Amino acid sequence: MGDGILSASEEAVVRKTWGLVAKDLKGNGTKFFIHFFTGYREYQRVFKGFADIPLEKLAENKRLIAHAVTVMTAINGLVENLDDVEVVKELLLKTGQNHAKRNIKIGDFQVSLVLSQRSEERRVGKECRSRW
C-alpha cells in the first residue's frame, strides 16, 4: 500500500499467496467456511440459511456456497486494490457496516482471520503469516 502499511515485498507475498486461493474462489471459500464451522460451531448458528445444516452436508448447501463466494470475492477486491489505500478503506468500511447491521463484532472477524492464516500457512508456508 502506498502509505507504508505493506512494503512492496509484503504486498507481493499477499498477492502470490492469494493467487493460489483465487484459482477457485467458490471451492476454497466453501472449504474455508466448513473448516471454520468445524472448529467454531457457534458461528454457524449465526447464519439462518444454514444454521442447522449438518457439517457433512454444508458443501452442498447453496446458501453457504453463495456466502463463501461473496466473502472470497470481497477479499479478492481487497487484494486487487492493495496499491490504493483509499479504496481498501472504503471496501473495509462497507464490510464493517454490513456486518454491524447483523451484530457481528470485530472479535468475530479476528477468529476467522486466525483460522484463515493457519489454513494458508499449511498450504503455502509460514512466510504468509506475517504478511496477512
Side-chain angles (χ1 to χ4, degrees):
M1 290 183 171
D3 66 357
I5 293 173
L6 292 179
S7 69
S9 65
E10 289 171 329
E11 186 176 319
V13 169
V14 169
R15 289 183 188 278
K16 178 182 175 186
T17 56
W18 182 254
L20 299 171
V21 175
K23 289 178 182 179
D24 182 11
L25 291 177
K26 182 164 83 173
N28 287 321
T30 302
K31 288 176 192 171
F32 167 78
F33 276 101
I34 291 170
H35 184 67
F36 180 62
F37 295 146
T38 299
Y40 302 92
R41 296 286 295 155
E42 67 273 18
Y43 285 104
Q44 182 181 345
R45 293 181 192 96
V46 172
F47 296 91
K48 294 175 186 168
F50 46 87
D52 297 320
I53 304 295
L55 283 172
E56 62 273 6
K57 296 194 180 226
L58 275 177
E60 306 161 10
N61 184 278
K62 298 303 181 186
R63 298 223 29 210
L64 169 72
I65 295 167
H67 184 68
V69 169
T70 299
V71 169
M72 299 305 268
T73 301
I75 296 170
N76 196 60
L78 292 169
V79 173
E80 287 183 356
N81 287 285
L82 285 174
D83 58 343
D84 191 337
V85 71
E86 294 304 316
V87 170
V88 170
K89 283 181 185 179
E90 290 299 323
L91 290 169
L92 291 172
L93 180 63
K94 181 179 178 189
T95 298
Q97 290 169 340
N98 287 341
H99 285 79
K101 293 175 194 174
R102 294 170 178 81
N103 202 29
I104 306 296
K105 301 194 176 11
I106 189 70
D108 301 324
F109 279 99
Q110 291 168 330
V111 168
S112 64
L113 179 61
V114 168
L115 184 63
S116 175
Q117 285 175 328
R118 288 180 189 155
S119 178
E120 282 308 299
E121 189 174 301
R122 282 193 297 276
R123 284 178 44 141
V124 297
K126 293 186 179 186
E127 179 184 26
C128 77
R129 176 180 275 194
S130 64
R131 304 320 193 260
W132 283 91

